[in-house]
Amino acid sequence: MRYCNEGTCPCKYKYEPIVLPVRECVHNCCYYVEQPIICPVNYKTVNHYIPRPVYYQTITTSMDEICHGQQKEPNK
């Protein structure tokens, strides 16, 4: 390739540089920052009371006094 100096260029037209449109390159950088997310939760305790049969004995006592030789009368 021959380089032309001004005035000595054999070419009919002067070469001008071809300027292409600007190409845009994007470089993505991710920086993580904390973002609070509030999730409200209501806890509820429900007490269930279930009857369970429990049997209790009731004992009645009585005291009788009997003298020797007397017959005991049945309780009425």
Side-chain angles (χ1 to χ4, degrees):
M1 179 178 206
R2 287 178 53 196
Y3 292 100
C4 299
N5 292 332
E6 262 188 62
T8 61
C9 186
C11 303
K12 184 177 176 183
Y13 301 102
K14 285 187 178 182
Y15 291 111
E16 292 186 17
I18 298 173
V19 180
L20 295 175
V22 176
R23 191 175 82 180
E24 185 173 316
C25 294
V26 177
H27 177 73
N28 292 313
C29 291
C30 295
Y31 299 98
Y32 293 100
V33 293
E34 290 186 9
Q35 178 184 6
I37 298 174
I38 299 172
C39 302
V41 176
N42 289 332
Y43 285 102
K44 189 180 203 181
T45 302
V46 177
N47 295 319
H48 296 277
Y49 295 99
I50 301 170
R52 179 177 58 99
V54 178
Y55 298 98
Y56 296 100
Q57 293 180 351
T58 55
I59 299 172
T60 56
T61 59
S62 62
M63 185 181 290
D64 294 334
E65 292 183 14
I66 297 176
C67 294
H68 186 68
Q70 292 180 346
Q71 190 177 11
K72 181 181 175 184
E73 296 181 13
N75 291 335
K76 297 181 184 179

